[in-house]
Amino acid sequence: MSDSIPHPDLSGRRVLIPGGTGGVGEGAVRSYLAAGAQVVVPTRSKERAEEFRLLLGEAATARLHLFEHDYTDFAGAEALVATMVDRLGGVDDVVAPIGGWWHGKRLWEIDEADWQAAFVDLATAHMAVLRAALPRMTRQGAYSIVVGESAHVPIPGSGLVSMEQTALHMMHQVLAVELQGAKRVFLLELGPVATRFVEAVDPAQVTSAQIGAVAVAASASTRPGSLVQLLNRAQAEEALVSLGAAR
């Protein structure tokens, strides 16, 4: 996946991207590296880390820090962020494209394992990372929660995804009230995304590179945290213009 989108200069910024090895996360990792930031990406194994480094190719500069670490529970996320602070001196920005797709059962057909994996585990991972990172973040940075439009578009057979994504929407709303502008938290709401795993079926489809560019622009801007809809390519282009004007 190439990235030809120009980025603002974020040299010296320290960015945590849990979920960075995924299709959407890759766009964020490439964009922050291109902007000059130090980028921390936790991975499940050394093998996965090496595969991702090879995938990034020349983009994987010395500013990419791949950690073999499980951040999906409270203790794991706390240890990850503490290690990042110890090694890099702090946290400026977080982009959280945590999660994946789940499909196959109607709500009354799910079992406890489905509920745990598709709702509880993913919501816990988001909450754990936010709890560990947000208090440590500098005021100049931005925290970007990444969700899909399934948060308010019901999809038969994927109800657990919609329920979990809706919970993240409310997380963002509560944070806005509780923070009262003290720190900036964005909610990036995505439509279907063209990634290395899923090719675009429509030329209007948003790409992971565009999503990464919007996250970088949010970090570089002075705009207060908000909901940013990226349901298609045109909305991503509009967001880049809007965020650029707020620098």
Side-chain angles (χ1 to χ4, degrees), residues 131-155:
R131 177 181 179 273
L134 188 65
R136 292 178 165 100
M137 283 175 55
T138 57
R139 289 181 62 88
Q140 68 176 335
Y143 194 114
S144 293
I145 305 166
V146 180
V147 301
E149 64 178 329
S150 57
H152 52 81
V153 177
I155 300 174

Side-chain angles (χ1 to χ4, degrees), residues 186-212:
F186 290 85
L187 188 73
L188 308 184
E189 183 182 304
L190 316 181
V193 181
T195 70
R196 70 180 188 270
F197 301 114
V198 182
E199 293 184 2
V201 296
D202 184 333
Q205 195 166 322
V206 68
T207 68
S208 56
Q210 286 182 306
I211 296 164

Side-chain angles (χ1 to χ4, degrees), residues 54-99:
L54 288 173
L55 174 72
L56 293 178
E58 293 182 357
T61 67
R63 289 180 284 101
L64 173 65
H65 308 274
L66 288 163
F67 288 106
E68 181 186 359
H69 193 92
D70 182 3
Y71 59 85
T72 57
D73 60 20
F74 279 47
E78 181 67 23
L80 171 65
V81 176
T83 300
M84 180 175 176
V85 171
D86 181 60
R87 296 188 183 183
L88 298 183
V91 183
D92 296 298
D93 302 271
V94 178
V95 182
I98 300 168

Side-chain angles (χ1 to χ4, degrees), residues 113-134:
D114 299 323
W115 173 253
Q116 186 69 37
F119 186 88
V120 176
D121 287 352
L122 293 182
T124 298
H126 272 280
M127 189 65 241
V129 171
L130 182 122
R131 177 181 179 273
L134 188 65

